[in-house]
Amino acid sequence: MLNRIKGLKGNRYVTVNERERVIWFYKGALQGILGPGEHKMPNDQEQLVIDRLTLEDAAVPWDYEKMLFRQLPDQAAEHLTLFQTGPEELAIVERDGRIENILYPDDKLTVWTDAGPWKVELITLDDNPFIEPALFSRLIKSGTAEVMDIVKTVQVDNGQIALFMVDGEIFNELPPGHYGYWDLRQKVVAKIIDLSRQPLDVNGQELLTKDRVTIRINLSAEYRVVDPVKAVTEVKDFADALYRALQYAFRKTLGAMTLDQILDKQVTVDAEAAQKVRSDMAAIGLEVSEIILKDVILPGEMRELLNQVVSAQKAAEANVIKRREETNATRSLLNTAKVMADNPVMLRLKELEALESIAGKVDRLTVNNGTSGLMNDIVNLTED
């Protein structure tokens, strides 16, 4: 901030502390730089003007820098340090061991020499945008806005790989790790590819069967990327390509079948469609393992009709089973009757069993029988 100094006529004392520098003007002309201490300055007609600059703001304003180096080169060389980069260079400027600034190609920075100590590291840019690991760590720890503007990071986790592309071409494949690169002259993209098995669901796909029934199906597939370069370069989106392949294969396969065939042979349908999908996806670097036709969803009216058909079928099956059991029971009774007819003793034993069963259920039982009846037979059986 420029200040017009008032004081004793003809003179003025200006005090500069250790963390300041003063640029002074007299009668509108640049005079020089004042360091720490007390300075006796001319001030006729209050024509002394000073600008106090703190060393904490290390960079010298560009308008002062230009005037000082042009008009007072000796003082500029004593108090100022100039950092400059070429067209293919970056400069990392450090102050007291900390990164203060980064200079772009064809850039410059003028600082107060006493604000240091200063250190500059020149980096020659080439076609490799990667930052050496030790330097990358220092840059990230600095956290300065200048660093964040041109330094980008990519994190590759376990089970992943990153395809590093420069100006649209694959430059490198990165295994798991933390990487940094310059984001300056080139268009740099790091595409993360997950190499683990992943599920893909295709839900709510409507199609018309051969017998003109509209159904909805839900599919599920499991895949993994086995060739990341192919998966990225052959198609725009490999997951979307798999999604569309599943759609097309199952629409074509199921559309040529009747509803009954689809409901009866879901496993066969899966096998036919899956072979086409696996073949197409192998060409773009994907390995497709399990493919499942999870659900076949019928319209409401068709579900009711199908439920009626199933109910009728089950009722008919139940009637058949019931008649079969009745026939078996009748045949068993007939066999028993034949045995008893051929064996009177067996018939009498059955009568006794019936009598015993009845007697166990009543308090008193009276049996009227002749000498040739049941009781006589009991006696005979006892004597035998």
Side-chain angles (χ1 to χ4, degrees):
M1 178 181 293
L2 294 174
N3 297 308
R4 191 168 297 276
I5 303 299
K6 296 180 181 181
L8 297 175
K9 183 177 180 180
N11 293 298
R12 170 65 178 175
Y13 287 94
V14 176
T15 302
V16 182
N17 66 39
E18 288 289 343
R19 301 307 296 170
E20 285 183 333
R21 293 298 179 267
V22 168
I23 297 177
W24 67 288
F25 301 81
Y26 186 62
K27 295 183 179 181
L30 174 66
Q31 300 299 315
I33 302 171
L34 300 180
E38 186 177 68
H39 304 271
K40 183 179 180 181
M41 315 295 295
N43 193 27
D44 289 340
Q45 300 178 356
E46 299 181 356
Q47 291 298 307
L48 175 63
V49 177
I50 69 171
D51 190 5
R52 292 182 182 272
L53 301 173
T54 174
L55 294 186
E56 297 303 322
D57 299 326
V60 178
W62 71 270
D63 50 347
Y64 284 172
E65 165 210 328
K66 186 176 180 180
M67 287 189 297
L68 288 167
F69 276 107
R70 185 178 67 245
Q71 300 178 31
L72 302 171
D74 291 340
Q75 290 194 46
E78 179 185 354
H79 293 280
L80 306 179
T81 298
L82 173 63
F83 301 119
Q84 202 162 6
T85 56
E88 300 294 327
E89 290 180 327
L90 287 175
I92 299 174
V93 180
E94 295 186 7
R95 178 187 185 187
D96 290 331
R98 295 174 299 175
I99 295 176
E100 178 78 11
N101 209 328
I102 293 183
L103 300 185
Y104 292 8
D106 285 326
D107 198 2
K108 65 180 181 177
L109 174 67
T110 301
V111 297
W112 295 107
T113 302
D114 292 339
W118 297 96
K119 178 183 177 184
V120 63
E121 180 178 354
L122 290 176
I123 298 171
T124 301
L125 296 174
D126 53 26
D127 293 334
N128 185 355
F130 283 103
I131 303 173
E132 187 268 330
L135 175 58
F136 173 58
S137 178
R138 287 167 51 210
L139 291 170
I140 293 301
K141 287 179 180 178
S142 73
T144 62
E146 292 81 1
V147 168
M148 295 300 102
D149 284 342
I150 62 173
V151 174
K152 304 301 179 185
T153 66
V154 56
Q155 176 69 45
V156 185
D157 296 328
N158 290 331
Q160 296 179 336
I161 193 171
L163 293 183
F164 199 76
M165 293 178 282
V166 178
D167 293 335
E169 296 185 2
I170 294 178
F171 182 83
N172 203 354
E173 293 185 20
L174 305 179
H178 192 204
Y179 304 91
Y181 58 91
W182 302 112
D183 187 19
L184 279 171
R185 303 174 304 169
Q186 302 158 307
K187 182 181 179 182
V188 180
V189 176
K191 188 173 182 64
I192 305 295
I193 307 296
D194 195 332
L195 301 181
S196 61
R197 293 194 178 276
Q198 300 181 66
L200 179 67
D201 293 326
V202 182
N203 296 324
Q205 299 299 302
E206 289 193 357
L207 58 89
L208 193 65
T209 64
K210 185 177 181 180
D211 49 354
R212 306 190 67 79
V213 177
T214 301
I215 62 174
R216 285 192 298 129
I217 59 173
N218 294 333
L219 314 174
S220 179
E222 193 174 80
Y223 73 96
R224 71 184 183 96
V225 178
V226 293
D227 190 333
V229 175
K230 274 189 176 182
V232 169
T233 57
E234 294 292 331
V235 292
K236 184 177 181 180
D237 186 332
F238 55 82
D240 183 64
L242 174 57
Y243 187 95
R244 294 179 182 277
L246 289 169
Q247 278 185 317
Y248 177 77
F250 276 88
R251 282 179 181 274
K252 183 177 179 181
T253 303
L254 300 182
M257 303 179 71
T258 65
L259 178 61
D260 288 342
Q261 289 174 325
I262 294 173
L263 295 177
D264 290 342
K265 300 179 180 179
Q266 288 191 30
V267 175
T268 303
V269 172
D270 283 345
E272 293 173 357
Q275 184 59 37
K276 172 65 174 171
V277 172
R278 290 191 177 98
S279 175
D280 291 346
M281 293 301 100
I284 64 170
L286 300 188
E287 178 186 84
V288 182
S289 51
E290 187 176 33
I291 300 178
I292 299 174
L293 176 59
K294 296 193 299 184
D295 304 303
V296 177
I297 305 170
L298 302 175
E301 318 85 63
M302 185 58 66
R303 283 201 302 271
E304 292 179 4
L305 291 174
L306 190 60
N307 287 336
Q308 292 176 9
V309 170
V310 172
S311 296
Q313 290 175 343
K314 295 303 180 183
E317 292 175 2
N319 285 333
V320 170
I321 294 172
K322 182 178 179 181
R323 296 294 179 267
R324 186 183 299 121
E325 294 300 324
E326 289 176 350
T327 300
N328 290 338
T330 302
R331 186 179 292 113
S332 178
L333 288 174
L334 179 61
N335 291 336
T336 301
K338 287 181 178 180
V339 171
M340 290 183 179
D342 295 338
N343 193 337
V345 175
M346 179 67 72
L347 178 60
R348 293 304 182 215
L349 285 175
K350 284 292 183 182
E351 290 177 352
L352 287 173
E353 288 178 1
L355 181 61
E356 182 181 10
S357 176
I358 294 172
K361 297 178 180 179
V362 298
D363 294 335
R364 183 176 180 182
L365 178 66
T366 301
V367 178
N368 296 318
N369 202 353
T371 57
S372 61
L374 176 62
M375 298 306 297
N376 189 45
D377 290 336
I378 293 174
V379 172
N380 293 336
L381 285 172
T382 302
E383 291 177 351
D384 292 340

